[in-house]
Structure formats: structure tokens, C-alpha cells
mmCIF file of all heavy atoms in Angstrom:
data_model
loop_
_atom_site.group_PDB
_atom_site.id
_atom_site.type_symbol
_atom_site.label_atom_id
_atom_site.label_comp_id
_atom_site.label_asym_id
_atom_site.label_seq_id
_atom_site.Cartn_x
_atom_site.Cartn_y
_atom_site.Cartn_z
ATOM 1 N N THR A 14 -7.162 7.981 2.127
ATOM 2 C CA THR A 14 -8.622 8.163 2.136
ATOM 3 C C THR A 14 -9.334 6.944 2.690
ATOM 4 O O THR A 14 -10.368 7.071 3.365
ATOM 5 C CB THR A 14 -9.127 8.453 0.706
ATOM 6 O OG1 THR A 14 -8.450 9.607 0.204
ATOM 7 C CG2 THR A 14 -10.623 8.717 0.702
ATOM 8 N N SER A 15 -8.808 5.754 2.428
ATOM 9 C CA SER A 15 -9.454 4.532 2.922
ATOM 10 C C SER A 15 -9.438 4.457 4.446
ATOM 11 O O SER A 15 -10.302 3.817 5.048
ATOM 12 C CB SER A 15 -8.765 3.302 2.327
ATOM 13 O OG SER A 15 -7.450 3.141 2.862
ATOM 14 N N VAL A 16 -8.451 5.097 5.069
ATOM 15 C CA VAL A 16 -8.360 5.087 6.536
ATOM 16 C C VAL A 16 -9.038 6.305 7.139
ATOM 17 O O VAL A 16 -9.801 6.200 8.106
ATOM 18 C CB VAL A 16 -6.885 5.033 6.988
ATOM 19 C CG1 VAL A 16 -6.791 5.098 8.522
ATOM 20 C CG2 VAL A 16 -6.216 3.772 6.477
ATOM 21 N N ASP A 17 -8.761 7.478 6.557
ATOM 22 C CA ASP A 17 -9.291 8.725 7.106
ATOM 23 C C ASP A 17 -9.668 9.683 5.974
ATOM 24 O O ASP A 17 -8.815 10.441 5.496
ATOM 25 C CB ASP A 17 -8.251 9.377 8.028
ATOM 26 C CG ASP A 17 -8.783 10.643 8.697
ATOM 27 O OD1 ASP A 17 -9.985 10.928 8.540
ATOM 28 O OD2 ASP A 17 -7.993 11.326 9.380
ATOM 29 N N PRO A 18 -10.938 9.659 5.536
ATOM 30 C CA PRO A 18 -11.374 10.546 4.450
ATOM 31 C C PRO A 18 -11.230 12.026 4.788
ATOM 32 O O PRO A 18 -11.208 12.873 3.888
ATOM 33 C CB PRO A 18 -12.848 10.172 4.262
ATOM 34 C CG PRO A 18 -12.991 8.813 4.872
ATOM 35 C CD PRO A 18 -12.014 8.786 6.006
ATOM 36 N N GLU A 19 -11.125 12.356 6.085
ATOM 37 C CA GLU A 19 -11.040 13.749 6.504
ATOM 38 C C GLU A 19 -9.599 14.199 6.765
ATOM 39 O O GLU A 19 -9.365 15.307 7.246
ATOM 40 C CB GLU A 19 -11.876 13.965 7.767
ATOM 41 C CG GLU A 19 -13.362 13.672 7.557
ATOM 42 C CD GLU A 19 -14.175 13.891 8.817
ATOM 43 O OE1 GLU A 19 -13.566 14.228 9.871
ATOM 44 O OE2 GLU A 19 -15.405 13.716 8.772
ATOM 45 N N ALA A 20 -8.629 13.360 6.434
ATOM 46 C CA ALA A 20 -7.221 13.709 6.659
ATOM 47 C C ALA A 20 -6.830 14.917 5.819
ATOM 48 O O ALA A 20 -7.312 15.103 4.694
ATOM 49 C CB ALA A 20 -6.331 12.526 6.322
ATOM 50 N N PHE A 21 -5.959 15.759 6.380
ATOM 51 C CA PHE A 21 -5.420 16.896 5.641
ATOM 52 C C PHE A 21 -4.073 16.480 5.067
ATOM 53 O O PHE A 21 -3.181 16.065 5.804
ATOM 54 C CB PHE A 21 -5.248 18.102 6.567
ATOM 55 C CG PHE A 21 -4.654 19.307 5.885
ATOM 56 C CD1 PHE A 21 -5.440 20.172 5.154
ATOM 57 C CD2 PHE A 21 -3.280 19.560 5.956
ATOM 58 C CE1 PHE A 21 -4.895 21.274 4.517
ATOM 59 C CE2 PHE A 21 -2.721 20.646 5.324
ATOM 60 C CZ PHE A 21 -3.538 21.514 4.607
ATOM 61 N N VAL A 22 -3.954 16.578 3.759
ATOM 62 C CA VAL A 22 -2.744 16.119 3.076
ATOM 63 C C VAL A 22 -2.181 17.244 2.216
ATOM 64 O O VAL A 22 -2.905 17.861 1.435
ATOM 65 C CB VAL A 22 -3.023 14.888 2.186
ATOM 66 C CG1 VAL A 22 -1.729 14.398 1.534
ATOM 67 C CG2 VAL A 22 -3.677 13.772 2.986
ATOM 68 N N SER A 23 -0.905 17.518 2.389
ATOM 69 C CA SER A 23 -0.218 18.521 1.575
ATOM 70 C C SER A 23 0.932 17.846 0.851
ATOM 71 O O SER A 23 1.784 17.224 1.483
ATOM 72 C CB SER A 23 0.307 19.651 2.461
ATOM 73 O OG SER A 23 1.104 20.555 1.715
ATOM 74 N N MET A 24 0.938 17.957 -0.501
ATOM 75 C CA MET A 24 2.000 17.331 -1.285
ATOM 76 C C MET A 24 2.841 18.387 -1.975
ATOM 77 O O MET A 24 2.328 19.409 -2.414
ATOM 78 C CB MET A 24 1.409 16.377 -2.329
ATOM 79 C CG MET A 24 0.831 15.111 -1.731
ATOM 80 S SD MET A 24 0.546 13.847 -2.977
ATOM 81 C CE MET A 24 0.095 12.461 -1.931
ATOM 82 N N MET A 25 4.120 18.104 -2.076
ATOM 83 C CA MET A 25 5.041 19.033 -2.726
ATOM 84 C C MET A 25 6.014 18.251 -3.601
ATOM 85 O O MET A 25 6.281 17.074 -3.350
ATOM 86 C CB MET A 25 5.809 19.843 -1.679
ATOM 87 C CG MET A 25 6.759 19.017 -0.829
ATOM 88 S SD MET A 25 7.070 19.746 0.765
ATOM 89 C CE MET A 25 5.501 19.413 1.571
ATOM 90 N N GLU A 26 6.529 18.898 -4.614
ATOM 91 C CA GLU A 26 7.481 18.256 -5.498
ATOM 92 C C GLU A 26 8.842 18.180 -4.814
ATOM 93 O O GLU A 26 9.307 19.139 -4.209
ATOM 94 C CB GLU A 26 7.598 19.015 -6.816
ATOM 95 C CG GLU A 26 8.387 18.274 -7.870
ATOM 96 C CD GLU A 26 8.172 18.822 -9.264
ATOM 97 O OE1 GLU A 26 7.407 19.799 -9.398
ATOM 98 O OE2 GLU A 26 8.780 18.287 -10.197
ATOM 99 N N VAL A 27 9.467 17.011 -4.916
ATOM 100 C CA VAL A 27 10.786 16.779 -4.346
ATOM 101 C C VAL A 27 11.758 16.570 -5.502
ATOM 102 O O VAL A 27 11.591 15.649 -6.299
ATOM 103 C CB VAL A 27 10.789 15.546 -3.418
ATOM 104 C CG1 VAL A 27 12.183 15.293 -2.870
ATOM 105 C CG2 VAL A 27 9.790 15.740 -2.286
ATOM 106 N N HIS A 28 12.753 17.426 -5.605
ATOM 107 C CA HIS A 28 13.652 17.379 -6.754
ATOM 108 C C HIS A 28 14.829 16.434 -6.565
ATOM 109 O O HIS A 28 15.444 16.012 -7.533
ATOM 110 C CB HIS A 28 14.183 18.795 -7.051
ATOM 111 C CG HIS A 28 13.114 19.746 -7.464
ATOM 112 N ND1 HIS A 28 12.558 19.739 -8.720
ATOM 113 C CD2 HIS A 28 12.470 20.724 -6.771
ATOM 114 C CE1 HIS A 28 11.631 20.688 -8.802
ATOM 115 N NE2 HIS A 28 11.563 21.294 -7.631
ATOM 116 N N ASP A 29 15.137 16.080 -5.341
ATOM 117 C CA ASP A 29 16.257 15.175 -5.110
ATOM 118 C C ASP A 29 15.973 14.374 -3.853
ATOM 119 O O ASP A 29 15.551 14.940 -2.837
ATOM 120 C CB ASP A 29 17.559 15.971 -4.955
ATOM 121 C CG ASP A 29 18.794 15.109 -5.183
ATOM 122 O OD1 ASP A 29 18.620 13.928 -5.528
ATOM 123 O OD2 ASP A 29 19.912 15.624 -5.030
ATOM 124 N N VAL A 30 16.189 13.069 -3.918
ATOM 125 C CA VAL A 30 15.894 12.190 -2.795
ATOM 126 C C VAL A 30 17.083 11.281 -2.559
ATOM 127 O O VAL A 30 17.618 10.693 -3.495
ATOM 128 C CB VAL A 30 14.643 11.323 -3.063
ATOM 129 C CG1 VAL A 30 14.285 10.528 -1.809
ATOM 130 C CG2 VAL A 30 13.477 12.177 -3.497
ATOM 131 N N MET A 31 17.486 11.154 -1.303
ATOM 132 C CA MET A 31 18.555 10.234 -0.918
ATOM 133 C C MET A 31 18.033 9.349 0.208
ATOM 134 O O MET A 31 17.297 9.810 1.079
ATOM 135 C CB MET A 31 19.794 11.002 -0.448
ATOM 136 C CG MET A 31 20.427 11.894 -1.502
ATOM 137 S SD MET A 31 21.783 12.888 -0.845
ATOM 138 C CE MET A 31 22.938 11.591 -0.384
ATOM 139 N N GLY A 32 18.418 8.070 0.180
ATOM 140 C CA GLY A 32 18.005 7.184 1.252
ATOM 141 C C GLY A 32 17.404 5.897 0.724
ATOM 142 O O GLY A 32 17.337 5.657 -0.489
ATOM 143 N N GLU A 33 16.954 5.044 1.642
ATOM 144 C CA GLU A 33 16.428 3.734 1.285
ATOM 145 C C GLU A 33 15.227 3.847 0.364
ATOM 146 O O GLU A 33 14.329 4.655 0.585
ATOM 147 C CB GLU A 33 16.039 2.955 2.549
ATOM 148 C CG GLU A 33 15.594 1.527 2.263
ATOM 149 C CD GLU A 33 15.310 0.740 3.526
ATOM 150 O OE1 GLU A 33 15.742 1.169 4.613
ATOM 151 O OE2 GLU A 33 14.650 -0.312 3.421
ATOM 152 N N GLY A 34 15.221 3.014 -0.652
ATOM 153 C CA GLY A 34 14.132 3.016 -1.616
ATOM 154 C C GLY A 34 14.379 3.926 -2.796
ATOM 155 O O GLY A 34 13.713 3.820 -3.824
ATOM 156 N N PHE A 35 15.367 4.839 -2.645
ATOM 157 C CA PHE A 35 15.679 5.772 -3.725
ATOM 158 C C PHE A 35 17.140 5.663 -4.138
ATOM 159 O O PHE A 35 17.453 5.426 -5.295
ATOM 160 C CB PHE A 35 15.336 7.206 -3.303
ATOM 161 C CG PHE A 35 13.856 7.425 -3.121
ATOM 162 C CD1 PHE A 35 13.278 7.269 -1.871
ATOM 163 C CD2 PHE A 35 13.049 7.767 -4.187
ATOM 164 C CE1 PHE A 35 11.912 7.459 -1.692
ATOM 165 C CE2 PHE A 35 11.694 7.964 -4.030
ATOM 166 C CZ PHE A 35 11.119 7.803 -2.778
ATOM 167 N N THR A 36 18.059 5.837 -3.176
ATOM 168 C CA THR A 36 19.488 5.679 -3.490
ATOM 169 C C THR A 36 20.117 4.509 -2.740
ATOM 170 O O THR A 36 21.243 4.136 -3.028
ATOM 171 C CB THR A 36 20.263 6.963 -3.127
ATOM 172 O OG1 THR A 36 20.097 7.236 -1.720
ATOM 173 C CG2 THR A 36 19.752 8.151 -3.943
ATOM 174 N N LEU A 37 19.402 3.939 -1.764
ATOM 175 C CA LEU A 37 19.884 2.782 -1.016
ATOM 176 C C LEU A 37 18.879 1.651 -1.128
ATOM 177 O O LEU A 37 17.665 1.892 -1.154
ATOM 178 C CB LEU A 37 20.086 3.132 0.468
ATOM 179 C CG LEU A 37 21.076 4.254 0.805
ATOM 180 C CD1 LEU A 37 21.067 4.523 2.311
ATOM 181 C CD2 LEU A 37 22.477 3.890 0.334
ATOM 182 N N ASP A 38 19.384 0.388 -1.186
ATOM 183 C CA ASP A 38 18.474 -0.743 -1.226
ATOM 184 C C ASP A 38 18.100 -1.160 0.196
ATOM 185 O O ASP A 38 18.424 -0.470 1.167
ATOM 186 C CB ASP A 38 19.081 -1.913 -2.011
ATOM 187 C CG ASP A 38 20.374 -2.440 -1.378
ATOM 188 O OD1 ASP A 38 20.608 -2.169 -0.182
ATOM 189 O OD2 ASP A 38 21.134 -3.134 -2.082
ATOM 190 N N GLU A 39 17.410 -2.313 0.306
ATOM 191 C CA GLU A 39 16.941 -2.752 1.620
ATOM 192 C C GLU A 39 18.064 -3.097 2.585
ATOM 193 O O GLU A 39 17.872 -3.099 3.802
ATOM 194 C CB GLU A 39 16.016 -3.980 1.441
ATOM 195 C CG GLU A 39 14.748 -3.653 0.659
ATOM 196 C CD GLU A 39 13.939 -4.891 0.359
ATOM 197 O OE1 GLU A 39 14.431 -6.003 0.669
ATOM 198 O OE2 GLU A 39 12.831 -4.756 -0.173
ATOM 199 N N GLN A 40 19.254 -3.378 2.056
ATOM 200 C CA GLN A 40 20.414 -3.687 2.916
ATOM 201 C C GLN A 40 21.284 -2.450 3.150
ATOM 202 O O GLN A 40 22.439 -2.560 3.561
ATOM 203 C CB GLN A 40 21.268 -4.788 2.270
ATOM 204 C CG GLN A 40 20.676 -6.189 2.406
ATOM 205 C CD GLN A 40 19.479 -6.396 1.482
ATOM 206 O OE1 GLN A 40 19.531 -6.005 0.311
ATOM 207 N NE2 GLN A 40 18.425 -7.000 1.988
ATOM 208 N N LYS A 41 20.730 -1.277 2.826
ATOM 209 C CA LYS A 41 21.427 0.005 3.015
ATOM 210 C C LYS A 41 22.633 0.158 2.109
ATOM 211 O O LYS A 41 23.530 0.953 2.386
ATOM 212 C CB LYS A 41 21.873 0.177 4.484
ATOM 213 C CG LYS A 41 20.815 -0.096 5.516
ATOM 214 C CD LYS A 41 19.637 0.837 5.421
ATOM 215 C CE LYS A 41 18.625 0.576 6.524
ATOM 216 N NZ LYS A 41 17.428 1.442 6.415
ATOM 217 N N ARG A 42 22.652 -0.587 0.999
ATOM 218 C CA ARG A 42 23.739 -0.466 0.045
ATOM 219 C C ARG A 42 23.327 0.466 -1.083
ATOM 220 O O ARG A 42 22.159 0.486 -1.461
ATOM 221 C CB ARG A 42 24.093 -1.857 -0.531
ATOM 222 C CG ARG A 42 24.635 -2.825 0.495
ATOM 223 C CD ARG A 42 24.832 -4.198 -0.103
ATOM 224 N NE ARG A 42 23.591 -4.723 -0.663
ATOM 225 C CZ ARG A 42 23.420 -5.981 -1.060
ATOM 226 N NH1 ARG A 42 24.419 -6.844 -0.957
ATOM 227 N NH2 ARG A 42 22.275 -6.372 -1.542
#
């Protein structure tokens, strides 16, 4: 909103996430 108050945003629930920030750290471990 701070950048674009008119942006269209659609959010959905994600039941499982894999990848950096969730199952991998910053070094991809």
C-alpha cells in the first residue's frame, strides 16, 4: 500500500513451503 494503494492483491493459504527462508537457510543448507 505504501508504494501502490491501487495495487490488486490476492492472498491464499499455503499449506506447505519448501525453499530458502522456510526449509533452506541463506547458504541453501
Side-chain angles (χ1 to χ4, degrees):
T14 303
S15 70
V16 177
D17 183 7
E19 298 180 358
F21 178 83
V22 182
S23 173
M24 288 195 173
M25 66 206 73
E26 190 164 1
V27 178
H28 296 283
D29 199 4
V30 186
M31 298 175 64
E33 185 176 344
F35 293 93
T36 59
L37 300 176
D38 62 19
E39 296 173 354
Q40 283 74 44
K41 311 298 183 183
R42 295 174 303 191

